[in-house]
Amino acid sequence: MSHEDERPENRLRRELPEEVSASDSAETPITEEKSGPTVTGRQRLVQGLWPPRVSRAQLIVAVLLFGLGFGLAVQVASNSNSDSALRGARQEDLVRILDELDDRTQRLEDEKQGLQKQRDELENSSDQAEEARKQTAEKEKQLGILAGTVAAQGPGITMTIDDTKGTVEADMLLDAVQELRAAGAEAIQVNGVRVVAGTYLTDSGKSVSVDGNKINAPYRFKVIGKPQDLEPALNIPGGVVQTLEKEQATVTVERSSKIIVEALRAAKQPDYARSSSR
């Protein structure tokens, strides 16, 4: 080794790497590591939503919401069906139905006031025992009228159903009885048979039986009650009169200030029930 190689500057140059020229570095391509396929934001969103990941709690909530929605839909459909019958009614029919509802409300209010009056009389009477006996006797008469064990008279209507075709059936007459009761009828008689709470009607050939008593057309209803309530109840759209007329029956309704219901029912002693009052 020569003295020139042992010089400090020569020894330092040997230890350093050789310089790389700018041209060489420019010509050398820079290689990048290849990565996987690029995923867009929309693809990430789809991957997050599908397939759905549903927990047990979410499934229970979904079932409850479905049941609630189904119940609301059924309720809305039911209300729509019940209102559809009134949508096609004429204005005068709607006014008559409204008046009938008002009359029923007034009857209930009158009954409430009567009961309150009886209570006040019992509380304020100097001789409560005598007052109680009077009210008991009056109540017995009222119950006798309802049970059909006593005759009754008062204002009401007479409805005659002439069935020349023999198309009127027992269920049609039962609908008439129920409609009259709902309108406030207090006593009903059909062709000499008293109608009570336990009355039943059955078809008997081309006629009808009431509590086992066969009756023939024309069917004559004698009804005690407020005529202004009874007659409109029978003539409402789609009611008793229209139903019977569709069966080619002729229906006549007459108001009267005095109707006598004289048909009676024998008082029946219960076999097992006994009074629980002491």
Side-chain angles (χ1 to χ4, degrees), residues 1-7 10-11 14:
M1 180 179 296
S2 61
H3 290 286
E4 293 180 357
D5 294 336
E6 293 178 355
R7 291 179 180 179
N10 292 334
R11 188 170 59 250
R14 287 198 307 267

Side-chain angles (χ1 to χ4, degrees), residues 22 38 82 84 183 211 216 245 259:
T38 304
S82 61
S84 60
D211 291 336
N216 298 313
E245 289 178 347
I259 297 291

Side-chain angles (χ1 to χ4, degrees), residues 214-257:
K214 187 176 180 180
I215 60 176
N216 298 313
Y219 304 109
R220 185 179 178 86
F221 285 71
K222 298 172 69 175
V223 187
I224 296 178
K226 189 176 181 181
Q228 295 83 353
D229 295 338
L230 299 175
E231 183 181 4
L234 298 172
N235 288 290
I236 61 175
V240 173
V241 173
Q242 287 190 2
T243 301
L244 292 172
E245 289 178 347
K246 287 181 181 179
E247 300 296 330
Q248 300 181 356
T250 303
V251 183
T252 304
V253 180
E254 298 179 356
R255 300 186 184 186
S256 177
S257 59

Side-chain angles (χ1 to χ4, degrees), residues 78-89:
S78 176
N79 292 338
S80 300
N81 293 334
S82 61
D83 294 341
S84 60
L86 295 178
R87 292 196 184 99

Side-chain angles (χ1 to χ4, degrees), residues 115-129 131-132 135:
L115 293 175
Q116 291 177 344
K117 182 179 179 180
Q118 292 179 7
R119 183 195 63 186
D120 295 340
E121 289 175 352
L122 287 173
E123 292 177 349
N124 301 325
S125 176
S126 57
D127 189 357
Q128 294 186 359
E131 186 64 29
Q135 292 190 10

Side-chain angles (χ1 to χ4, degrees), residues 17-68:
E18 297 183 358
E19 296 181 358
V20 181
S21 61
S23 60
D24 294 338
S25 62
E27 293 177 357
T28 304
I30 300 175
T31 59
E32 296 180 355
E33 294 182 357
K34 294 184 179 180
S35 59
T38 304
V39 180
T40 64
R42 181 179 296 178
Q43 291 175 340
R44 292 193 188 96
L45 179 60
V46 172
Q47 291 175 357
L49 295 177
W50 190 264
R53 300 175 179 85
V54 181
S55 65
R56 182 178 180 182
Q58 292 173 336
L59 181 61
I60 294 175
V61 171
V63 171
L64 293 177
L65 291 177
F66 173 78
L68 178 61

Side-chain angles (χ1 to χ4, degrees), residues 40-261:
T40 64
R42 181 179 296 178
Q43 291 175 340
R44 292 193 188 96
L45 179 60
V46 172
Q47 291 175 357
L49 295 177
W50 190 264
R53 300 175 179 85
V54 181
S55 65
R56 182 178 180 182
Q58 292 173 336
L59 181 61
I60 294 175
V61 171
V63 171
L64 293 177
L65 291 177
F66 173 78
L68 178 61
F70 181 77
L72 291 176
V74 171
Q75 182 67 27
V76 172
S78 176
N79 292 338
S80 300
N81 293 334
S82 61
D83 294 341
S84 60
L86 295 178
R87 292 196 184 99
R90 297 175 301 176
Q91 182 176 1
E92 53 268 24
D93 294 332
L94 294 175
V95 172
R96 185 166 49 186
I97 294 173
L98 182 61
D99 292 339
E100 181 183 351
L101 293 176
D102 292 339
D103 292 338
R104 291 183 182 181
T105 303
Q106 185 61 42
R107 287 200 309 272
L108 293 175
E109 184 64 28
D110 294 341
E111 183 178 355
K112 175 185 175 183
Q113 293 179 359
L115 293 175
Q116 291 177 344
K117 182 179 179 180
Q118 292 179 7
R119 183 195 63 186
D120 295 340
E121 289 175 352
L122 287 173
E123 292 177 349
N124 301 325
S125 176
S126 57
D127 189 357
Q128 294 186 359
E130 181 63 25
E131 186 64 29
R133 283 192 292 270
K134 290 180 180 179
Q135 292 190 10
T136 300
E138 184 65 26
K139 180 62 69 175
E140 183 179 1
K141 293 180 181 179
Q142 296 176 2
L143 294 176
I145 293 175
L146 297 177
T149 57
V150 297
Q153 68 177 19
I157 63 169
T158 300
M159 180 176 66
T160 304
I161 303 173
D162 193 2
D163 180 27
T164 58
K165 302 292 184 180
T167 56
V168 175
E169 298 179 351
D171 59 341
M172 301 176 188
L173 299 183
L174 180 60
D175 290 341
V177 171
Q178 292 176 342
E179 192 64 45
L180 290 169
R181 284 174 172 170
E186 297 176 352
I188 303 175
Q189 174 180 317
V190 183
N191 286 31
V193 181
R194 187 71 169 266
V195 177
V196 294
T199 293
Y200 62 93
L201 290 86
T202 57
D203 293 317
S204 179
K206 289 188 177 181
S207 60
V208 177
S209 292
V210 181
D211 291 336
N213 301 296
K214 187 176 180 180
I215 60 176
N216 298 313
Y219 304 109
R220 185 179 178 86
F221 285 71
K222 298 172 69 175
V223 187
I224 296 178
K226 189 176 181 181
Q228 295 83 353
D229 295 338
L230 299 175
E231 183 181 4
L234 298 172
N235 288 290
I236 61 175
V240 173
V241 173
Q242 287 190 2
T243 301
L244 292 172
E245 289 178 347
K246 287 181 181 179
E247 300 296 330
Q248 300 181 356
T250 303
V251 183
T252 304
V253 180
E254 298 179 356
R255 300 186 184 186
S256 177
S257 59
K258 184 178 181 181
I259 297 291
I260 299 177
V261 175

